Every structure is written in structure tokens, then in C-alpha cells.
Amino acid sequence: MEGYRALLKRQMTELVTRYDPELFFFDGGETMRNEEGQSLQQLCMEVAWDLKPDLLVTRGAIPTPEQQLPGIGADTVWEGCITLGTAWQYQPTNEQYKTGLHVIRLLTETRAKGGSLLLNIGPDEDGVLCREQENILHEIGLWQFINGEAMRGVRPWVLTNEGDTWLLQAKDGQTVYAVLFGHNDWDRGVRKEILLRSVAASEDTTVEVLGQSGELTEYRPDLDAHVYWEQREEGLWISALNAQRIYCGIQWRNPLVLKITHPRPAFLPMQVQTAAEALLQREDGVLLSADIQSLGSFDRAELSFEWRVYPGFALASYEEGWQSTEGLPVTEAGRRSIPLTRLQSGVTYQYRAVLQNERNCMKGELTLFVRE
């Protein structure tokens, strides 16, 4: 092993000095340590940073969850690692690729939770991307061309999402972006109303849809394309028209993005965490627990758990199959538990705590268990 560590040191020195890389991703070696407790990853990082202090290291230095994003994000820098298909390498047959919409959602969710997204693509043996992968990347690129400012240089808002609407704020705090998923039926020339409960307007607030001027809709001079908004007691009410003609004659089904300037939080959100260590196996099922850390600006809420049969590592980023337990009224912080019955022995399940009321919904971290 000492000889291997010496070889690694020489290899790292060669890589950094000869090729001047900007980023390293170390996969493996984190559990292989010498007598001083230094892992192989730590050895490689120290060599790299001694030679080039500003070199970026992701896996090895920061959390890098794989194939599924964390349930609540993290206070530290992190990177989500997701494959475009079901495997890291190219598979010429029996492959299932994510749609462009799926990847855009993963990107938005990652940024709303304070992370960055590593999206894997698999070239074939000649280094060429298959047309299906390339087309998905073009779709993502086109959406970014219109909405990229909502993904770059942004930070988490006071909460990550309101249902299918994901929220991000510019790092200077002067703008909130609302990415409007869940509107696949929003045809060009159709007006819709959106209510954002966590965003309050100020005297200087403006609202627009990224990628459109608000002045007109092509081929429809009869339509009013302006965005209207009003601060109401229940939240910020917005009326917007889809005026974008991205494809010729075909509706664009990827989400529109609202840009809201000079916002302020409408309330202090609730906080809940899934208490995985408190899961209790019982004869009739399991007892799920959650720690309600704060009710924020509210005096009541309802606790429940979302659960599903775990779809497996490769398909974990898909949101299908979720079910909900019964609800439990909550009026103060503390630990609460809810039973889950009618489970199959030996099956792996996934679950997370959900704390919600009419204005705020917060979810805990995703957790796995096997029914005994």
C-alpha cells in the first residue's frame, strides 16, 4: 500500500503539472487510510492543492449524492450526480433516457436547494453521442438560452418550492425566480393565474416572464400579453400570458419562468426533519417519526409522511409512486409519529416527513428502510 500511495502521488503530480486541470472528482479510496488516518482521497487532494491551490475538488471535498437529489438540500456546497440514462456508460440497447423536462426539473430543484448538477452523458466507443442524448441536451440548452439567469448565480429562497412551482433568488436578494412546472397544458396565447404564498411584493416590485417582452404575441395582435400582479392577503397574485413561440407550429411544454424584483418573504417557513433513527418495526408495519423543529410564522399544521416502494438506484430521481399516510394535527415543535401498515416483508421502502398547512408545505430528508 505504501508503494501504491507513492504511485498515486506521482500520478497526481503529473496530472496537475502537465495538464493543468481545473477540477477533480475522486471516486473511491475514501475508506483506505494509512496509520495517520489519511485516506487515498485526502492524499490526492493534498497533492493537488499543494501544486494548484485554486483547483476545484467536488467528490472527495464536498457531498456528491448520486442518482437522487437530497430531500432538503444542505447548508454547505454540494453537487448532485445524475445520469441522462440509467447507467454511467453508453448502452446501445434497452436504455431509458430522461426527458428534457425531467432534467430541467432536476436542474431547477438542485439550484433551489443550493447545489450544482453534474449531468452525465455516455459517448459510444468512438466518442460520439447518440442522437437521442444530443437532442435532449439541445432541448436543455434552448431552455437555458431563455431562462439561464434563473439558474446561474442564484441561491435558495426561504423555501424551495410551492407545489410544482420552484423558487430561487438572485444572490443579491433583489430578485426571485418562480419556475412554473405542472402547466403542461399551457398553450401559447393562453393566460393563467398563479398565486405565490411565500413571496410578498414591495413598492418597487416588477413581474415579467423571461423570454417575452409582454408587448405582443406573434400572429395574435388581439391578445394582451402584459403581466399583471397584485399583493393579496393570501399571497402574490400574478396573471401571465404564454406568448412564447419556441418551436414552429408546436407547443413548447417546458416551464415558463417568472422574474419578480424587490421581493420580501411573506412569512417565516416551518421546519421539519425525517427522524430516520427513530423508525420502529412493529408486527403490523412500521412507526414513522419526524422532528418538527419549528412552526415558523404559524400556530398549526398537519404532519404526514409520503412513502413508496423504492424504485431502485437508477430510477430514484423519478417522482412516480408516492402515497401519503393519514395526517396528524400539530400545534407545537417536537417529535411525532404515525403508523404505516400493510407493507410487504423484505421490500425496500422510501419515505419522508411532510409538514403543511394552507400556506406552507415543508418536507424532510428522503430515507430508506426494509420491512422486516
Side-chain angles (χ1 to χ4, degrees):
M1 181 54 68
E2 286 307 309
Y4 182 60
R5 294 174 71 90
L7 174 63
L8 274 184
K9 187 172 182 179
R10 293 196 301 271
Q11 288 182 323
M12 285 299 303
T13 300
E14 178 183 357
L15 286 171
V16 176
T17 57
R18 179 176 293 186
Y19 300 104
D20 192 27
E22 296 183 356
L23 181 149
F24 271 102
F25 181 106
F26 296 111
D27 196 6
E30 63 270 24
T31 61
M32 304 175 72
R33 301 178 180 273
N34 62 8
E35 293 180 356
E36 288 74 35
Q38 183 193 54
S39 70
L40 296 182
Q41 282 190 359
Q42 290 169 330
L43 170 65
C44 291
M45 285 188 288
E46 288 181 10
V47 174
W49 283 329
D50 284 343
L51 295 169
K52 188 176 180 181
D54 62 346
L55 191 146
L56 175 63
V57 177
T58 54
R59 177 162 293 178
I62 64 174
T64 54
E66 192 170 331
Q67 293 295 50
Q68 183 165 353
L69 303 179
I72 57 175
D75 294 332
T76 59
V77 176
W78 63 275
E79 177 181 74
C81 306
I82 305 288
T83 56
L84 192 57
T86 61
W88 293 98
Q89 76 280 7
Y90 173 64
Q91 299 188 136
T93 61
N94 299 305
E95 181 59 290
Q96 177 181 329
Y97 289 111
K98 297 173 178 64
T99 64
L101 178 62
H102 188 163
V103 178
I104 291 168
R105 183 187 64 79
L106 289 171
L107 172 62
T108 302
E109 181 178 345
T110 301
R111 302 300 290 129
K113 293 177 177 177
S116 60
L117 180 65
L118 181 157
L119 179 64
N120 164 259
I121 55 176
D124 67 16
E125 65 273 20
D126 296 318
V128 177
L129 287 184
C130 71
R131 176 56 63 88
E132 189 171 6
Q133 292 187 69
E134 187 176 355
N135 287 346
I136 296 169
L137 294 177
H138 280 306
E139 182 175 357
I140 299 165
L142 179 54
W143 188 83
Q144 285 268 63
F145 176 75
I146 301 167
N147 303 294
E149 72 172 86
M151 297 292 107
R152 302 185 184 97
V154 291
R155 303 290 185 269
W157 178 236
V158 294
L159 47 79
T160 58
N161 63 298
E162 297 185 31
D164 287 328
T165 297
W166 287 81
L167 300 162
L168 312 94
Q169 67 174 327
K171 62 182 178 180
D172 63 3
Q174 296 301 304
T175 304
V176 162
Y177 299 97
V179 187
L180 306 176
F181 292 93
H183 296 279
N184 294 339
D185 61 341
W186 197 348
D187 292 343
R188 185 171 63 92
V190 173
R191 180 173 291 278
K192 286 198 173 188
E193 297 181 354
I194 297 97
L195 181 66
L196 299 178
R197 299 183 182 276
S198 68
V199 183
S202 67
E203 293 182 356
D204 300 319
T205 290
T206 62
V207 182
E208 63 179 280
V209 179
L210 292 183
Q212 58 189 61
S213 67
E215 297 176 359
L216 53 85
T217 302
E218 189 178 15
Y219 299 135
R220 293 296 305 273
D222 57 310
L223 294 178
D224 176 7
H226 287 83
V227 179
Y228 300 95
W229 68 96
E230 178 182 313
Q231 186 63 53
R232 298 179 177 177
E233 182 177 355
E234 63 269 26
L236 179 60
W237 171 85
I238 300 171
S239 174
L241 186 85
N242 182 355
Q244 297 184 10
R245 183 171 179 253
I246 310 303
Y247 286 158
C248 182
I250 300 177
Q251 300 294 345
W252 174 252
R253 297 306 183 188
N254 288 315
L256 299 181
V257 179
L258 297 173
K259 179 179 180 179
I260 305 157
T261 65
H262 306 289
R264 58 180 178 81
F267 54 75
L268 182 66
M270 302 182 291
Q271 299 294 332
V272 64
Q273 184 53 277
T274 308
E277 76 286 353
L279 182 135
L280 179 63
Q281 298 272 356
R282 306 197 307 186
E283 185 175 341
D284 61 344
V286 296
L287 189 66
L288 307 178
S289 296
D291 289 325
I292 296 147
Q293 300 163 331
S294 170
L295 290 180
S297 299
F298 309 99
D299 55 14
R300 61 181 180 83
E302 181 179 85
L303 173 70
S304 62
F305 290 91
E306 293 181 340
W307 64 278
R308 66 176 178 176
V309 175
Y310 181 55
F313 183 67
L315 302 178
S317 71
Y318 292 83
E319 287 294 316
E320 289 82 5
W322 287 106
Q323 303 180 60
S324 294
T325 68
E326 60 182 8
L328 179 69
V330 173
T331 57
E332 60 183 3
R335 177 163 290 183
R336 302 289 188 277
S337 301
I338 295 176
L340 179 60
T341 59
R342 301 188 304 277
L343 302 177
Q344 291 183 304
S345 178
V347 174
T348 300
Y349 292 91
Q350 188 174 41
Y351 74 104
R352 58 191 170 196
V354 179
L355 186 65
Q356 60 187 326
N357 57 25
E358 66 277 3
R359 297 197 65 186
N360 186 200
C361 178
M362 305 296 283
K363 298 183 180 183
E365 190 55 85
L366 294 157
T367 308
L368 299 177
F369 72 90
V370 179
R371 171 64 176 141
E372 297 177 357

